[in-house]
Amino acid sequence: MEAHTKFDIAHAFVATSSDISKLWDILENAGLTVTATISCTDGLVRHFDNRELLVQYDNPTRAAISSLEISAKSRDPYTTAEISLGARYSAPISISLRGEENTISLMRTYVSDTVDGMRAWYTRLSTIDFFYVWFPIFMVLLMLAQIMSPSGTPHPAMPLKKALEVLVISAAAIGGIAAVIWAIAWLRKRFFPVATFAIGQGHSRHQHNEQIRWVVIVGFVVGVGASIVATILLA
């Protein structure tokens, strides 16, 4: 009986040479002919029909891997497999398998176990929708502003100098908030990426970024702790 399965996995991942080799072996051991395509930051798309050549790709910063697609097929019996890692306009990991039911069921299990082992420890930081973070903060600030502003009495006309000061302060506050949002977004994209290919030179880049990630996390925890202590002492 023929079967088909297609599913997406939304977690951030770190793909090492070992992980890519495992995925290649799973498909090859099922009797499929395997090929791979990598899209790189230099604008080139590179094709591989040999696993060793793929895992030995130097992966320099200039031409770093941005996405990887592993394709496999067999005519007798008819079987196809597509594994997409880091595609730009889809889930971080997308898998499609078609063929004889028992073969597909077994491949799904092996592939799922492998990609689950690629899950990055910081995946929640990489995939969280910041709308659900910034919107509550904005609402709290808005309510505080309403509580602090006087109500029920007419406001006298504000002198031009005072109005300019308020305008400058408001613009500075908005600019500061925008800068913080931009900085956090850049920090997440740079050091908490959804897709990491830790092969070739990418392995050393991943190790370097891992150290920075821990510095960021520890610094954040220490900062929050210091703020709480300061609030308690000043209360």
Side-chain angles (χ1 to χ4, degrees), residues 29 50 73 86 114 116 124 146 150 197 229:
N29 291 339
N50 182 286
K73 61 183 178 180
T114 301
D116 188 59
R124 291 195 179 275
Q146 290 177 342
F197 295 93
V229 171

Side-chain angles (χ1 to χ4, degrees), residues 39-217:
S39 297
C40 303
T41 55
D42 63 350
L44 295 183
V45 177
R46 294 170 169 85
H47 304 271
F48 299 86
D49 56 10
N50 182 286
R51 178 188 60 187
E52 294 305 318
L53 292 178
L54 173 59
V55 299
Q56 290 174 8
Y57 176 67
D58 196 38
N59 198 19
T61 302
R62 174 188 57 80
I65 301 173
S66 57
S67 67
L68 165 66
E69 292 186 6
I70 301 176
S71 303
K73 61 183 178 180
S74 171
R75 291 190 175 182
D76 188 20
Y78 175 74
T79 310
T80 62
E82 299 284 342
I83 302 174
S84 177
L85 305 176
R88 186 172 182 181
Y89 298 110
S90 65
I93 301 173
S94 182
I95 299 165
S96 177
L97 307 171
R98 180 185 295 274
E100 197 276 325
E101 181 179 359
N102 291 335
T103 301
I104 295 305
S105 177
L106 199 58
M107 278 201 300
R108 179 187 172 106
T109 299
Y110 290 154
V111 170
S112 297
D113 288 346
T114 301
V115 297
D116 188 59
M118 294 160 52
R119 181 191 299 266
W121 64 266
Y122 54 82
T123 184
R124 291 195 179 275
L125 292 174
S126 299
T127 57
I128 187 173
D129 188 342
F130 273 150
F131 172 82
Y132 298 106
V133 177
W134 297 121
F135 184 72
I137 294 175
F138 171 77
M139 293 302 297
V140 170
L141 293 176
L142 183 61
M143 286 188 294
L144 286 175
Q146 290 177 342
I147 292 172
M148 294 174 65
S149 63
S151 59
T153 58
H155 297 281
M158 186 179 295
L160 178 59
K161 182 179 179 181
K162 182 65 175 179
L164 290 175
E165 290 178 355
V166 172
L167 180 61
V168 170
I169 293 173
S170 300
I174 294 173
I177 293 172
V180 170
I181 294 175
W182 177 87
I184 291 177
W186 178 86
L187 186 68
R188 180 169 79 161
K189 183 177 180 180
R190 175 66 178 81
F191 296 109
F192 298 88
V194 172
T196 298
F197 295 93
I199 69 173
Q201 296 182 29
H203 178 72
S204 60
R205 291 196 298 270
H206 169 64
Q207 295 289 66
H208 174 71
N209 289 342
E210 190 75 350
Q211 296 175 353
I212 295 177
R213 278 189 282 269
W214 281 110
V215 169
V216 171
I217 294 295

